[in-house]
């Protein structure tokens, strides 16, 4: 009976799809053109600001960029940013949308009373905070696979408001590793979690299965734990946890599905093994030696430094918000990370902007810029890391990262020159995603727009 019921549903769905396909949709009504009058325009990060300019937006994309303040055509919407610095929307390559951000003690207390539905509500709130902070695209590197996929698709459909999401699903991990959800749980709870856990794997074949499982749940990128992690509640240190063979199996499988791969990695040994196996980005990279830096450059891989995370974690450790097993790891990562990142930046390793927001609070993402500059980047190179370079790592440089014809109209504005003081990006006055303004004059706009 059950098989017949499922078959009937599939047949009915097929009929409905076929019937719909025979009826052409009504012609789309072109959206009103938008003329953005920019006093200073940073249309291509890496190049100098342009003076007075006009960005013309049609149907969610940049149609034209003109010098000077162009006279709007009849019926156009005009957005006056003549006293602002206008830039492409920012991209954060490492966030965690689910969970209670920046408050690990409260998150742990809620473990037994919160479920996936609560996480999804929290994720929607966090996504909106990131968007209002100027981050029109985020890469979610670890959260409920189904929930984040649903949030991603609802945003793309225009049903709710948030940034473009490139989601990884759950982080692939060895048993007992940084991504094993049973770490630190009492036995009866650990058994319940283990029974439903599909992201843990042991051995190359099992790791291939774990990657395919996340892709099957909608993952657009794959993340795996090459080493231990600061916030996993296990006293396992930050050393390499996966074998090189397991890493290669994960990376090759993901690449065969057209997915890029990010490796959570602290210890140099794990970083070097992941780079040798062909990973696309290293997240954190707390302990880097000369060999690791040479591998970055030889492989063309990106480092996503997440400098904000150890600052936040160390503050939480000192405030008594972290379990005892995590505190030595937080202290070790914070002590080593700045020197490692300074060496990588000085050597010319490719850098993409990422924060590990979720450890810190959503909406504070732009605090990462000042940390990057402190580590040796220029403000302009830090901005490029959050625009064109991040878009390159995503494989979406044709869609994102600059304000050029044909790309999405993801646009922000600030009141001061961020090249003179990169902290200006911590106070974003105007945000537009895909041609829809969501924040203006520092105030949240109504959604859906009128």
């Amino acid at each position: 009976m059950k098989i017949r019921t499922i078959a009937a549903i599939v047949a009915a769905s097929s009929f409905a799809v076929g019937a719909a396909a025979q009826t052409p949709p009504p012609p789309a009504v072109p959206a009103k053109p938008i003329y953005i009058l920019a006093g200073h325009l940073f249309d291509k990060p890496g190049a100098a600001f342009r003076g007075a300019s006009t960005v013309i937006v049609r149907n969610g994309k940049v149609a034209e960029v003109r010098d000077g303040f162009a006279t709007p055509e009849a019926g156009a919407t005009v957005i006056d940013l003549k006293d602002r610095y206008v830039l492409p929307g920012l991209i954060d390559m490492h966030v965690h949308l689910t969970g209670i951000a920046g408050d690990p003690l409260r998150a742990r207390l809620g473990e037994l009373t919160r479920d996936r539905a609560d996480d999804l509500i929290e994720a929607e709130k966090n996504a909106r905070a990131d968007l209002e902070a100027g981050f029109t695209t985020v890469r979610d590197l670890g959260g409920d696979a189904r929930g984040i996929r649903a949030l991603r698709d609802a945003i793309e459909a225009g049903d709710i408001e948030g940034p473009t999401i490139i989601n990884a699903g759950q982080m692939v991990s060895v048993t007992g590793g940084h991504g094993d959800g049973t770490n630190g749980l009492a036995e009866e709870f650990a058994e319940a979690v283990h029974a439903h856990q599909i992201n843990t794997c042991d051995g190359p074949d099992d790791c291939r299965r774990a990657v395919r499982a996340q892709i099957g749940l909608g993952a657009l990128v794959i993340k795996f734990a090459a080493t231990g992690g600061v916030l996993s509640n296990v006293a396992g240190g930050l050393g390499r946890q996966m074998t090189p063979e397991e890493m290669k199996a994960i990376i090759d499988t993901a690449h065969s599905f057209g997915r890029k791969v990010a490796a959570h990695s602290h210890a140099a040994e794990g970083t070097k093994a992941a780079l040798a196996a062909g990973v696309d980005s290293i997240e954190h990279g707390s302990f880097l030696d000369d060999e690791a830096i040479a591998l970055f450059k030889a492989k063309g891989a990106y480092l996503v430094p997440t400098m904000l995370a150890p600052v936040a974690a160390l503050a939480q450790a000192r405030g008594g918000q972290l379990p005892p097993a995590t505190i030595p790891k937080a202290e070790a990562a914070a002590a080593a990370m700045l020197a490692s990142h300074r060496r990588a930046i000085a050597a010319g390793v490719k850098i993409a902007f990422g924060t590990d927001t979720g450890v810190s609070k959503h909406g504070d993402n732009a605090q990462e810029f000042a940390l990057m500059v402190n580590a040796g980047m220029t403000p302009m190179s830090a901005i490029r890391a959050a625009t064109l370079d991040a878009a390159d790592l995503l494989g979406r440089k044709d869609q994102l990262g600059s304000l050029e014809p044909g790309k999405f109209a993801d646009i922000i504005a600030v009141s001061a020159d961020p090249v003179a003081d990169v902290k200006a990006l911590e106070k974003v006055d105007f945000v537009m995603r895909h041609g829809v303004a969501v924040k203006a004059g520092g105030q949240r706009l109504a959604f859906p727009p009128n």
Side-chain angles (χ1 to χ4, degrees):
M1 176 65 71
K2 187 174 183 180
I3 294 175
R4 288 181 183 175
T5 302
I6 293 172
I9 292 170
V10 172
S13 299
S14 299
F15 175 80
V17 170
Q22 295 172 14
T23 305
V29 178
K32 289 183 179 181
I34 302 170
Y35 279 58
I36 299 174
L37 310 181
H40 307 272
L41 180 64
F42 201 14
D43 58 334
K44 299 175 184 176
F49 274 107
R50 295 166 61 151
S53 305
T54 302
V55 180
I56 302 173
V57 176
R58 300 183 193 277
N59 298 315
K61 294 188 176 182
V62 175
E64 190 177 351
V65 179
R66 298 181 190 172
D67 291 329
F69 299 137
T71 301
E73 62 196 85
T77 298
V78 178
I79 297 175
D80 188 347
L81 299 174
K82 293 177 184 175
D83 60 346
R84 295 291 188 267
Y85 291 80
V86 178
L87 303 88
L90 303 173
I91 302 170
D92 192 332
M93 294 295 287
H94 193 134
V95 305
H96 298 280
L97 292 170
T98 56
I100 300 170
D103 193 344
L105 185 58
R106 182 176 163 223
R108 280 162 46 218
L109 289 173
E111 284 294 323
L112 297 181
T113 58
R114 297 174 60 86
D115 57 25
R116 290 164 62 179
D118 298 294
D119 277 343
L120 183 56
I121 297 300
E122 197 75 27
E124 183 179 353
K125 181 183 74 175
N126 291 335
R128 175 70 205 207
D130 290 345
L131 179 63
E132 289 187 18
F135 291 85
T136 52
T137 300
V138 299
R139 192 172 63 159
D140 184 90
L141 288 187
D144 177 62
R146 292 184 184 274
I148 297 298
R149 191 275 309 153
L151 177 62
R152 176 199 74 195
D153 290 352
I155 291 169
E156 290 308 306
D159 296 330
I160 59 176
E161 204 163 25
T164 300
I165 297 173
I166 292 84
N167 57 307
Q170 290 181 295
M171 175 168 57
V172 177
S173 166
V174 294
T175 300
H178 179 48
D180 187 340
T182 66
N183 289 337
L185 295 181
E187 183 177 1
E188 58 267 36
F189 302 127
E191 289 177 352
V193 170
H194 182 73
H196 298 282
Q197 195 161 254
I198 62 173
N199 64 305
T200 51
C201 60
D202 298 289
D205 285 343
D206 198 26
C207 287
R208 292 186 186 96
R209 174 207 53 78
V211 170
R212 291 170 183 148
Q214 294 308 311
I215 291 172
L217 291 172
L220 299 180
V221 62
I222 292 297
K223 180 189 178 187
F224 71 92
T227 72
V230 171
L231 296 183
S232 53
N233 190 13
V234 58
L238 299 173
R240 178 168 66 83
Q241 292 184 335
M242 275 193 177
T243 68
E245 293 78 16
E246 287 169 330
M247 294 186 198
K248 192 171 190 314
I250 288 168
I251 294 165
D252 287 351
T253 303
H255 284 173
S256 74
F257 278 84
R259 268 64 171 178
K260 293 201 173 190
V261 185
H264 158 100
S265 187
H266 287 287
E269 185 183 1
T271 296
K272 288 184 284 191
L275 289 168
V279 78
D280 298 291
S281 70
I282 294 291
E283 313 297 309
H284 316 305
S286 303
F287 302 87
L288 299 177
D289 57 22
D290 291 341
E291 185 181 358
I293 289 172
L295 270 171
F296 268 110
K297 299 191 74 174
K299 295 289 187 176
Y302 275 89
L303 171 63
V304 181
T306 67
M307 298 180 195
L308 187 57
V311 173
L314 196 56
Q316 292 159 5
R318 290 170 177 165
Q321 293 180 285
L322 296 182
T326 69
I327 293 174
K329 295 185 288 184
E331 293 172 342
M337 188 173 273
L338 179 58
S340 289
H341 293 162
R342 280 179 171 165
R343 292 176 65 193
I345 290 165
V349 170
K350 294 195 295 186
I351 305 293
F353 183 100
T355 61
D356 208 359
T357 290
V359 177
S360 55
K361 292 181 179 178
H362 288 272
D364 290 346
N365 316 49
Q367 292 178 10
E368 180 85 10
F369 285 109
L371 299 174
M372 296 169 81
V373 170
N374 183 54
M377 298 186 78
T378 65
M380 187 173 289
S381 62
I383 293 168
R384 183 182 170 102
T387 51
L388 277 172
D389 293 338
D392 180 52
L393 176 53
L394 287 175
R396 299 192 181 197
K397 205 171 179 179
D398 60 330
Q399 302 174 1
L400 306 169
S402 62
L403 300 179
E404 299 178 81
K407 293 192 177 185
F408 285 116
D410 292 352
I411 302 171
I412 67 168
V414 294
S415 60
D417 182 355
V419 174
D421 182 1
V422 79
K423 287 187 176 182
L425 293 170
E426 295 178 15
K427 295 180 180 179
V428 175
D429 296 320
F430 174 84
V431 180
M432 170 180 281
R433 177 187 171 270
H434 287 20
V436 177
V438 298
K439 182 179 181 181
Q443 301 298 312
R444 177 177 183 172
L445 300 180
F447 183 82
N450 295 328

